[in-house]
Amino acid sequence: MTNAVAVHGVGTSHFGRQPERDLVALAWDAVHEAFTDAGVEEVDAVWVGTVFGPPGVAQRVLRAMGITGIPVITVENACASGTTAFAEAHEAVRTGRYERVLALGIEQMSTAFDGAITPEDTDPEGRTGLALPALYAMAAARYLHLGAATPEQLAAVSVKNHAHALHNPRAQYSGRYTVEEVLASRMIADPLTLLQCCPTSDGAAAAVLGPATGGSREVRVRGLALRSGVPWNHASPHVWGHDIVRDTAADALAAAGLADVADVDVLEVHDAFTIGEIVTTEALGLVKPGDGGAAAARGDTALGGAHPVNPSGGLLSRGHPLGATGLAQIAEITWQLRDEAGARQVEGARLGLVETMGGGVSVLDGNACVVVLLEAP
Amino acid sequence: MAAVDALEEAVPHPITVDPRPQVTTGPDGLPRVLGIRCRACGEVAAYRWPRCPACRGAVEPAEFGPDGTVWSATVVRIPVSGRTPPYALAYVDLDAGPRVLAHVLPAGGPAPVIGSRVRLAEATPTGDVQVEVVP
Ligand SMILES: [Zn+2]
């Protein structure tokens, strides 16, 4: 006997560089909003996603808001930590282990890093100096070499997502940029320029999950999947991160009983770098192989297009506090499916998809990927 | 005595085991990367791991290189702890071997063209795998 599961409420802090606020304050903003949204005062368990900790951070922020005594579990899955917390919370409700569960993602990066995330010294590629932008730059350079994308198409993703964020007051950055301006911004790792990279951010995001009761504001979890990467090398014709997204999406669509990802009305995907959104839309099967960049340039994936991707502005604009990102994506799709997304609303959206992919462990095609399918009330 | 132990505990230890691929010199005097080959599925890796990362099969020691092809490459232009930008990095598919991440000679030079042939050089004094473009 298992339960159908719904998202009963969501909330987020503001996203951005806010070193003057601590994680207690950021987490409170997210949890207070999610509890108010769900109309609840308490939960039975909490899963917390965070990458850079520090140890004990989950209990430290939760005790400040009177959430003590119940099971608190911290998970780390790189950029997919928040959606991993969501996936575990979902499973706990689905199986009846707990009735009502909070999934919380938190990260404060401005106080931990001056610039890009420091590569992990115990990893071969981190120790070799492969900063995360450089890992994505390898994929972008390969795409350009194969003619699978142009520099202008890479830039079009940044133009699109920064324009989407104009309508998202919680986003760190927004703006009407031109392709030329994106390409002329400072080179970070060839061919990725500054405006093609997500900023360093602080933030928190939360969701309250429980059994679906058919309530008018409940967003049903139609299906989800989580995978960790297998070895990635010359045996794959694809760039790093493609195959794990493809395979996780196939699992999630099967769990949701959906035959075609094109049935999805609105998507929030992992665009930590412009090339990431291009590869992801191809891996999901939303566009044809090699057409991800062209689809962005044509406006297919813009608000008003056939398949709007990252109406929130994505990680590129909202910012990317690693542990919080996945739950901010869940919050955005929840608002979209409840017709509460204001000027960035995708008209009549009934089915939404969230995808988060985190990586950094050498040899593997990603540390973890989570894909979630959500359905309107 | 206890106080001295506590003090020593508080000092962070350096990472004593280098995680990067080890470069050795082959019988022909040319550099090789030490690794493994899976006896079950043929998977290769540039690390001396106890099992195959693809199928968990038994592995045997193997050496790879010195020649390979650039799968992709970039130039890192941002500050990274302990390094001086800009520096070029390449993913190199060693012939019949694994894909390895390498710095590109000459240091501070451009990224090699994707698809170009490269050869392992000796590791840097600090332990980075290096390649140079074969003329
Ligand atoms: Zn094997």
Side-chain angles (χ1 to χ4, degrees), chain A residues 116 118-131 133-135 137-143 145 186-192 230-240 362-364, chain B residues 15 17-21 43-45 47 49 53-54 70-81 83 87 89-91 93-94 96-103 111 113-115 126 128-129:
Chain A
T118 308
E120 172 53 44
D121 251 0
T122 55
D123 186 87
E125 293 178 8
R127 185 71 164 265
T128 303
L130 188 74
L135 176 56
M138 293 281 192
R142 182 77 186 172
Y143 260 57
H145 171 75
R186 184 162 58 90
M187 189 62 79
I188 300 298
D190 308 23
L192 298 177
V230 298
W232 168 77
N233 52 38
H234 56 276
S236 170
H238 299 120
V239 299
W240 177 83
S362 64
V363 173
L364 297 184
Chain B
I15 298 165
V17 177
D18 193 322
R20 291 169 291 193
E43 178 86 8
V44 288
Y47 308 96
W49 290 335
V70 174
W71 177 81
S72 193
T74 187
V75 176
V76 180
R77 300 186 186 274
I78 50 172
V80 171
S81 175
R83 297 184 179 275
Y87 55 93
L89 293 172
Y91 270 126
D93 289 344
L94 294 173
R99 180 170 290 168
V100 295
L101 180 70
H103 284 254
V113 174
I114 292 174
T126 56
D128 286 330
V129 176

Side-chain angles (χ1 to χ4, degrees), chain B residues 38 40-43 52 54-57:
Chain B
C38 177
C41 77
E43 178 86 8
C52 170
C55 79
R56 230 186 147 255

